[in-house]
């Protein structure tokens, strides 16, 4: 078999592969179907030529010529139809398309009838059998070239107006492919016609088949590179395995040959060498097989890896950001500059307007995309809300389901300046849309990249939601803080207002009790005593509330002075002594003679110590209360230990919270406001000190506080 006769067979296989790819990929797509018809017509042509070149006699050669022409007549019409769908202009060009189909039917009928008007027979030429053309062959030739050229012109015109770079590349490939194959077809048919007048034309090589092969090859390329039918990944893998297989096989053959030469094994069966060698190589390769595959992939598709790495890196960076503005910035910038893309936009849902509005945009071309808000009830938003992954704009035409969905709102999607629309969803609700322009490399996103992209988008949606919640928390915290300050202010002024009348109640009841204005009956005396002690309690409570609210409103300031701790302890012990009267209770003091100089607010420190001491005395029936002071580097440590009722471990954490009075019989009898420890804590903290308690129930308590020698301002 010569190359001349094998060529149509090779072209036939290529055609068959194209038919397979386009039909398998998406049989429902009109574009794929028409393309498959076109490739089938090409295949029929090639098959016919292959058989023709082997035809033994004139009769069978004529039969194969008819078969060839069945294919050839269909080529321009399917090609033209394919171009129209591809460019989305079937409706506008309907009359031309109808004309093409009409002519194709007429020529097919004439060809099938075996009429001499089309072919008078076959003749033997320099390159094999060729048709002897009849008078209708020239119109057929014109029809063929007219529609091929017409399609070509549409493509060329569209090429200039298409703004998507990868679509343009795709169109360019189809355009060149058609052009080259057209030259082939032209040469072929011209040969048949011209030989009538110019016998030398017969010598020209029939370029139809090589032209056809180039057409198939380039359309194949446009499919692979520009995702016309998305067979990228499968072909890549196939290429890798073919490459690896080729290397392994040639190694094997080389080794076998060397071994044969070396050991003169020509007489023995080759199997004895090949099988053990194959086993050894498999053993040798299998541990490396996986690594080898990834190495090859890295080598051939390094650019793709760059895109994954960008996406993965971005997802890592985003998870650490809690500010929504920064997060969106990182996302759009990372995508636009990292991949890189022409531009990238994040649109977020605006509840009030029921719109998705552009929130951040990053462009690498210096041009604004000029995107308008998208209505939340628009078909695009609705599609994204229910879609699982990325919406590839180019695929809308190819995918039947999408094509039907978007048909009604054509234009709406077209107007969006993006090649990918990625939904940002939280709990299945669309919260935003990520728009990606095209890769600056002009490549398209492959399936794996789209998958990683939708994972990144999911993560971005979650991070954005987290950031939003975090910000919301921050602002409600601020509001709460404000509310709490208002409450404290209110309490401060209320307490102040209450104190004035209370002071006159206390004052005048004291006057009555002192009998300055005359005697009282015993009953009157006991009533007035009760009024007086209750008012005193109330005053104490009001003072405490005032203290605490002043602190909370941030109005307490320290009046710093030097404090003599010995003096302070003595005063406090003296004041608490009356409380211990009648109890077998000793109050003791333990402090080194030399104590460091402490700077602080004397009144407040005294109030703290007094409160701890009076609590200790209150909650201890017998035993002793020990006040201890120990100097520490840059601080003093004061503790008040008692042998009283102690505190349950569970109660310790809330001891210093306002209005906490623990439930114990003695505590209930002891009276008090539940504010003493809370105030003490605030006062100690105002000095930048620390206060805490240690206790075991029924085993006494020890309260500690540590004050720095000079509280930092
Ligand atoms: P109160 O004015 O009621 O004494 P405090 O804030 O000073 O308010 O004390 C809160 C509660 O802590 C008391 O009601 C008591 O139950 C418990 N408490 C405080 N000091 C002691 C102590 N030394 N021993 C046992 N319980 C104590």
């Amino acid at each position: 078999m010569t190359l001349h006769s094998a060529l149509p067979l090779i072209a036939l296989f290529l055609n068959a592969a194209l038919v397979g790819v386009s039909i398998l990929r998406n049989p429902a797509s009109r574009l794929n179907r028409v393309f498959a018809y076109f490739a089938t017509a090409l295949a029929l042509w090639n098959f016919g030529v292959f058989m023709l070149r082997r035809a033994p006699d004139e009769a069978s050669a004529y039969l194969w010529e008819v078969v060839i022409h069945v294919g050839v007549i269909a080529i321009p019409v399917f090609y033209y139809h394919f171009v129209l769908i591809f460019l989305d202009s079937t409706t506008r060009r309907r009359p031309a398309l109808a004309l093409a189909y009409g002519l194709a039917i007429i020529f097919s009928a004439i060809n099938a009838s075996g009429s001499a008007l089309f072919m008078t027979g076959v003749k033997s030429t320099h390159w094999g059998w060729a048709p002897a053309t009849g008078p209708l062959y020239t119109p057929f030739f014109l029809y063929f070239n007219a529609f091929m050229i017409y399609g070509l012109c549409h493509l060329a015109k569209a090429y200039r107006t298409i703004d998507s770079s990868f679509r343009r590349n795709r169109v360019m490939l189809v355009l060149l492919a058609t052009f080259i194959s057209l030259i082939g077809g032209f040469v072929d048919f011209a040969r048949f016609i011209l030989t009538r007048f110019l016998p030398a034309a017969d010598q020209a090589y029939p370029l139809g088949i090589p032209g056809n092969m180039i057409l198939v090859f380039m359309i194949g390329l446009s499919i692979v590179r520009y995702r016309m039918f998305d067979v990228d990944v499968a072909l890549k893998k196939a290429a890798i395995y073919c490459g690896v297989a080729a290397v392994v096989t040639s190694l094997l053959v080389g080794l076998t040959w060397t071994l044969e030469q070396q050991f003169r094994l020509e007489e023995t069966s080759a199997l004895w060498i090949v099988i053990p060698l194959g086993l050894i190589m498999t053993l040798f390769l299998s541990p490396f097989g996986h690594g080898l595959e990834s190495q090859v992939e890295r080598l051939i598709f390094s650019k793709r890896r760059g895109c994954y790495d960008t996406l993965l890196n971005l997802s890592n960076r985003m998870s650490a950001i809690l500010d929504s503005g920064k997060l969106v910035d990182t996302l759009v910038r990372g995508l636009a500059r990292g991949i890189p893309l022409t531009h990238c936009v994040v649109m977020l849902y605006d509840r009030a307007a029921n719109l998705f509005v552009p929130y951040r945009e990053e462009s690498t071309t210096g041009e604004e995309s000029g995107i308008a808000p998208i209505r939340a009830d628009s078909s695009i938003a609705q599609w994204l809300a229910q879609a699982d992954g990325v919406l590839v704009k180019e695929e809308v035409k190819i995918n039947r389901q999408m094509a039907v969905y978007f048909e009604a709102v054509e234009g709406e999607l077209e107007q969006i300046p993006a090649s990918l629309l990625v939904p940002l969803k939280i709990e299945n609700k669309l919260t935003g849309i990520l728009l990606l322009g095209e890769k600056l490399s002009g490549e398209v996103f492959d399936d794996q990249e789209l998958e990683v992209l939708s994972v990144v988008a999911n993560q971005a949606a979650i991070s954005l939601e987290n950031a939003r919640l975090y910000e919301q928390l921050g602002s409600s915290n601020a509001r709460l803080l404000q509310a709490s300050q208002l409450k404290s202010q209110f309490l401060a002024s209320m307490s102040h207002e209450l104190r004035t009348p209370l002071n006159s109640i206390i004052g005048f009841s004291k006057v009555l009790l002192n009998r300055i204005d005359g005697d009282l009956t015993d009953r009157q005396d006991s009533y007035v005593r009760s009024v007086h002690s209750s008012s005193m309690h109330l005053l104490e409570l009001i003072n405490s509330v005032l203290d605490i609210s002043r602190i909370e409103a941030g109005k307490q300031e320290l009046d710093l002075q030097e404090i003599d701790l010995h003096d302070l302890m003595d005063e406090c012990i003296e004041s608490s002594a009356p409380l211990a009267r009648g109890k077998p209770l000793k109050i003791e003091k333990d402090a080194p003679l030399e104590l460091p100089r402490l700077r602080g607010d004397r009144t407040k420190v005294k109030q703290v110590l007094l409160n701890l001491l009076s609590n200790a005395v209150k909650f201890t029936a017998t035993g002793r209360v020990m006040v201890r002071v120990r100097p520490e580097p840059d601080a003093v440590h004061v503790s008040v230990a008692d042998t009283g009722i102690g505190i349950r471990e569970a109660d310790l954490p809330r001891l210093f919270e306002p209005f906490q009075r623990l439930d114990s019989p003695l505590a209930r009898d002891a009276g008090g406001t539940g504010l003493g420890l809370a105030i003490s804590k605030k006062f100690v903290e105002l000095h930048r000190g620390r206060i805490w308690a240690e206790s075991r129930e029924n085993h006494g308590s020890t309260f500690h506080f540590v004050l720095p020698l000079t509280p930092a301002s």
Side-chain angles (χ1 to χ4, degrees), residues 88 374-375 377-416 419-423 430 433:
D88 221 9
I374 300 178
R375 285 197 332 274
D377 56 3
S378 69
S379 47
I380 295 171
Q382 275 168 10
W383 174 276
L384 290 172
Q386 51 86 35
D388 275 337
V390 180
L391 173 64
V392 182
K393 207 159 101 182
E394 285 303 315
E395 248 158 44
V396 168
K397 292 190 203 79
I398 303 169
N399 180 313
R400 174 147 195 82
Q401 199 195 353
M402 286 200 216
V404 169
Y405 183 88
F406 285 106
E407 207 159 33
V409 284
E410 225 175 320
E412 197 177 321
L413 188 64
E414 275 308 310
Q415 274 163 15
I416 293 180
S419 63
L420 302 184
L421 288 86
V422 194
L430 192 66
I433 305 174

Side-chain angles (χ1 to χ4, degrees), residues 611-612 615-616 618-619 642 645-647 655 660-664 667 671-678 701 703:
N611 181 45
L612 295 186
N615 275 350
K618 253 199 293 189
F619 298 110
D642 65 50
I645 58 169
I647 299 159
L655 204 58
Q660 292 295 334
R661 303 193 57 217
L662 308 181
D663 192 23
S664 73
T673 59
L675 282 170
L677 286 178
S701 324
F703 282 77

Side-chain angles (χ1 to χ4, degrees), residues 20 51 62 66 105 111 119 123 153 159 299 301 334 351 372 389 420 437 455 519 620-621 624 667 683:
M51 296 307 286
Y62 181 74
V66 173
I105 291 168
N111 173 46
M119 275 190 287
K123 53 188 179 190
C153 291
Y159 178 78
L299 205 73
F301 307 113
R351 191 183 297 274
L420 302 184
V455 171
D519 213 359
T620 309
R624 57 171 201 169
F683 282 172

Side-chain angles (χ1 to χ4, degrees), residues 499-517 528 531-533 535-536 539:
R499 263 202 312 193
T500 321
L502 202 56
N503 276 331
S504 52
I505 295 174
I506 290 169
F508 288 119
S509 56
K510 189 88 190 156
V511 169
L512 285 179
L513 283 177
N514 286 344
R515 292 169 166 79
I516 292 169
D517 285 322
V528 177
V531 168
H532 184 256
S533 76
S535 315
M536 284 299 283
L539 183 65

Side-chain angles (χ1 to χ4, degrees), residues 4 49 52-55 61 65 122-132 191-192 202 204-206:
H4 177 62
V49 173
L52 179 77
R53 287 180 185 174
R54 302 161 64 96
E65 276 295 0
V122 287
K123 53 188 179 190
S124 177
T125 72
H126 183 74
W127 296 105
W129 299 109
R191 244 181 77 228
F192 306 151
D202 188 30
Y205 184 77

Side-chain angles (χ1 to χ4, degrees), residues 517-576:
D517 285 322
D519 213 359
L520 299 172
T521 63
D522 285 349
R523 223 180 230 181
Q524 283 168 336
D525 182 81
S526 98
Y527 292 159
V528 177
R529 224 166 260 292
S530 168
V531 168
H532 184 256
S533 76
S534 300
S535 315
M536 284 299 283
H537 180 72
L538 197 58
L539 183 65
E540 198 187 320
L541 185 69
I542 288 171
N543 280 340
S544 301
V545 168
L546 194 61
D547 276 343
I548 207 139
S549 51
R550 267 202 202 128
I551 297 166
E552 281 179 357
K555 286 198 176 147
Q556 277 285 9
E557 280 174 9
L558 290 182
D559 177 15
L560 292 182
Q561 53 195 284
E562 205 135 290
I563 302 174
D564 183 327
L565 278 169
H566 277 291
D567 271 1
L568 190 84
M569 286 162 84
D570 293 341
E571 272 175 40
C572 290
I573 290 172
E574 206 172 306
S575 310
S576 317

